[in-house]
Amino acid sequence: MGHWMKGWTAKVIGVGLLALLMLLPLWKVQSLVEERQGMRQAAIDQIAQGWGGEQVLGGLVLAVPTHEQMAMAGGELRDVADTTLVLPDTVEMSIGMAVDKRRYGIYEAPVFASTVELHGRFAADDVALQRQLDTAAWQGGKAELRLVLGDLRGLQEVTELLVNGKPKRFASSAATFGGTSSTVVVPLDLDALNGQPIEFSAKLHLAGTQSLQLLPLARTTDVTMHAPWPDPSFIGAALPLERTVNAQGFSARWHMLDLNRKFGQSWHASDARIDAAVHDAAFGVALFQPVDVYQRNVRAGKYGLLFITMTFVAFFLFEVLKRLRVHPVQYLLVGAALTSFYVLLLALSEQLGFGLAYSVAAGSVVAIVGGYAMAVLGARRAGLLLGGSLALVYAMLYVVLAAEAYALLIGAIVLVLTVALLMYLTRRIDWYASMPATAGPAIMEQP
């Protein structure tokens, strides 16, 4: 039993511990990827500072100040001011996006400049009913129409604004909507309308970074959108009813009803419970970048321990099958070469793109490990075989990374086949046999 423990079992345990030790540099590599992701996000934020951030557009909302006296404890009367928000009956939006990329240092982000045509109508019955139900007194002469926008920095120009056929102009406002969105406003004398409906139309140029979302702030919301971006990611509470995506770009159409959301046609601005429901109802498109190098680097790093273990096992098999000796320091050097692949991949992918960077990094590591194996194992054929096997493993990893939807399936199949191959190659080994004696600082081949 003692002789057995001094043999191959001790070496297997030692190699396993060395493989686990490689988790430390792999963990540091993952921390480096996260750091670079943070730097990229900071660069995107800098781009958004001058261009406009992730944009949200909600159309026009009728805001009416209210005033009410409420009895407090002890019989004291207190003036309570609030704002009643009423949504339009119908809203139609037509959005055309021009897409570009802006760089900040080595980082870039997709930006857009969109032309928005907005048409809508407030039903007179909706306004009259809400005024009748509201217990507070309406100050109709101080009403206003609020245009809801996520980032006012992206509002480049308003080329047309009509309310009941009359030209109007937006004014700045400190009022917010939904807790986060900003607004610009159009003053409106609601009392002077004498119960007439409110029809509006606007044309504006809206810029933003990475995504444009819409809020269904009407009983019926119809949105059409098109852009020359071949990789849209439709996000939010609703997918488009119709969409066309090809190499030239995409077009999409949404149709939303008030029944599809969790808030009504009117509420008080002081009711903070509505804010979350409004936020959750947003829908739209994100300008997805399918070659996100950091996401792929993270996914590649998850296979790092498996790669190191498989390479160590290959060296160990040469020890067993060819009656050779490999020193633990040599295992550590091979592990260091394998972990350097991920640092090199990260650095190159920021400059060259992921595909080319992967080829250069993998080729470099295969050459280093293969050449080192020739020297350590004292056999050119063994080094070529190990280098070729490592190249095949890297090729399989790239296939796994490219096949996002089937990555788990392909990875599981490869893992099972690898275990089966190891079992086949070691089926005749006598693991109770002692290890070959050492004949030099590196290797020795038994007669």
Side-chain angles (χ1 to χ4, degrees), residues 92-362:
E92 296 179 2
M93 297 185 194
S94 178
I95 304 172
M97 301 173 66
V99 183
D100 196 3
K101 291 184 178 181
R102 295 294 174 92
R103 298 187 67 87
Y104 186 86
I106 65 172
Y107 305 101
E108 67 177 15
V111 299
F112 62 87
S114 61
T115 300
V116 180
E117 295 186 8
L118 177 66
H119 304 275
R121 179 178 184 273
F122 290 88
D125 292 343
D126 287 347
V127 178
L129 178 61
Q130 182 57 36
R131 187 168 194 169
Q132 180 181 353
L133 295 176
D134 214 331
T135 58
W138 278 27
Q139 297 176 293
K142 298 181 180 179
E144 57 189 20
L145 295 177
R146 296 178 178 177
L147 176 66
V148 179
L149 280 177
D151 192 344
L152 289 178
R153 294 171 300 181
L155 184 57
Q156 297 179 330
E157 185 181 9
V158 179
T159 58
E160 179 183 291
L161 175 60
L162 300 175
V163 178
N164 285 343
K166 297 180 180 180
K168 299 288 184 178
R169 295 185 63 179
F170 285 117
S172 299
S173 174
T176 60
F177 184 89
T180 56
S181 297
S182 304
T183 63
V184 290
V185 302
V186 181
L188 180 69
D189 189 350
L190 194 61
D191 297 332
L193 294 178
N194 295 321
Q196 296 180 3
I198 306 171
E199 296 185 355
F200 59 87
S201 63
K203 294 182 181 179
L204 49 95
H205 297 292
L206 185 63
T209 303
Q210 292 190 307
S211 70
L212 173 59
Q213 295 193 73
L214 298 314
L215 296 175
L217 301 182
R219 181 172 283 111
T220 302
T221 304
D222 283 286
V223 179
T224 59
M225 184 187 301
H226 60 88
W229 187 264
D231 298 294
S233 177
F234 298 108
I235 58 176
L239 296 177
L241 291 180
E242 302 172 6
R243 64 179 180 179
T244 301
V245 181
N246 52 43
Q248 287 69 46
F250 75 91
S251 62
R253 184 179 76 86
W254 290 264
H255 179 76
M256 292 286 290
L257 302 176
D258 58 338
L259 303 177
N260 305 135
R261 66 193 190 208
K262 297 180 180 179
F263 55 93
Q265 279 291 101
S266 61
W267 65 90
H268 294 118
S270 59
D271 189 353
R273 296 173 301 175
I274 304 296
D275 295 347
V278 171
H279 180 269
D280 292 341
F283 62 92
V285 65
L287 302 177
F288 177 67
Q289 292 182 284
V291 289
D292 188 339
V293 296
Y294 299 106
Q295 183 182 13
R296 291 193 174 187
N297 271 276
V298 169
R299 294 179 60 201
K302 293 178 179 179
Y303 294 90
L305 181 60
L306 178 62
F307 268 42
I308 293 172
T309 302
M310 291 176 65
T311 306
F312 281 6
V313 168
F315 268 83
F316 181 72
L317 286 178
F318 273 94
E319 284 196 74
V320 175
L321 299 176
K322 299 297 183 180
R323 308 290 292 173
L324 303 173
R325 287 291 300 273
V326 179
H327 196 275
V329 173
Q330 294 168 329
Y331 277 99
L332 280 177
L333 291 175
V334 172
L338 294 174
T339 55
S340 68
F341 162 78
Y342 299 98
V343 180
L344 185 60
L345 175 62
L346 175 61
L348 291 177
S349 60
E350 291 184 329
Q351 307 292 336
L352 306 177
F354 188 82
L356 181 57
Y358 190 95
S359 300
V360 174

